[in-house]
Amino acid sequence: MNKLYIKISADIANDAFIRSTVAAFCLELDPTIEQIDDVKTAVSEAFTNCVIHGYDGKEGNYVYLDLCVDDGKLSIIISDGGKGIENVKQAMEPFYTTKPEEERSGMGFTLMSTFMDEISVDSTPGKGTTVRMVKNIGKEVA
């Protein structure tokens, strides 16, 4: 088992670093290019949600990533201490957005669910949100 914990400023400029770091972290599982792209997309969506929705883009906040590689699986926990989600079930519906004026598509959770093998979301209004995702990694049998 291998673990990595990151505390990083909730700044959208850190998205590329997070994507690359998570992709590099899972390399020991010998992922396909498609699997790496899936993970990078899901992580980017989760991180962006923390910055834009959890903290409304306000500076001075942090996003926390807890990564684990074990037995062919990459587990990712991304959390914030932001405003939380009032209705998680509604937030996970395709095209639902709380920021239509910013031209947000409302597809973040849908993309995470599409590209990862497991996803769960826990949120408490006023305290923050935690997204847990799992991706089974390895070469597909031809």
Side-chain angles (χ1 to χ4, degrees):
M1 179 177 355
N2 192 9
K3 296 186 122 204
L4 175 65
Y5 182 76
I6 300 170
K7 174 184 175 183
I8 192 163
S9 294
D11 184 330
I12 205 69
N14 288 328
D15 181 53
F17 174 79
I18 291 302
R19 289 169 53 97
S20 297
T21 301
V22 174
F25 183 74
C26 73
L27 288 178
E28 71 181 74
L29 294 173
D30 197 22
T32 64
I33 297 297
E34 182 179 342
Q35 289 168 329
I36 290 173
D37 287 344
D38 290 352
V39 168
K40 287 169 61 175
T41 299
V43 165
S44 180
E45 290 296 332
F47 181 79
T48 301
N49 278 354
C50 291
V51 175
I52 292 172
H53 298 288
Y55 294 124
D56 288 324
K58 294 177 184 158
E59 294 182 11
N61 295 295
Y62 295 94
V63 175
Y64 306 89
L65 284 84
D66 191 349
L67 310 173
C68 180
V69 167
D70 189 29
D71 197 28
K73 291 185 179 187
L74 171 66
S75 300
I76 303 167
I77 300 172
I78 299 179
S79 59
D80 65 58
K83 66 182 182 182
I85 301 170
E86 291 287 332
N87 185 333
V88 172
K89 184 176 178 182
Q90 181 182 37
M92 293 184 78
E93 291 176 8
F95 305 110
Y96 176 80
T97 182
T98 58
K99 296 187 181 283
E101 70 282 359
E102 294 181 16
E103 299 182 17
R104 297 285 162 200
S105 69
M107 293 298 290
F109 286 126
T110 301
L111 288 169
M112 287 180 242
S113 295
T114 299
F115 292 122
M116 300 301 281
D117 295 312
E118 299 173 30
I119 179 174
S120 66
V121 180
D122 295 312
S123 190
T124 303
K127 295 194 177 192
T129 301
T130 299
V131 176
R132 291 174 179 82
M133 300 181 285
V134 174
K135 181 75 171 176
N136 298 315
I137 302 275
K139 297 284 185 191
E140 276 96 12
V141 177

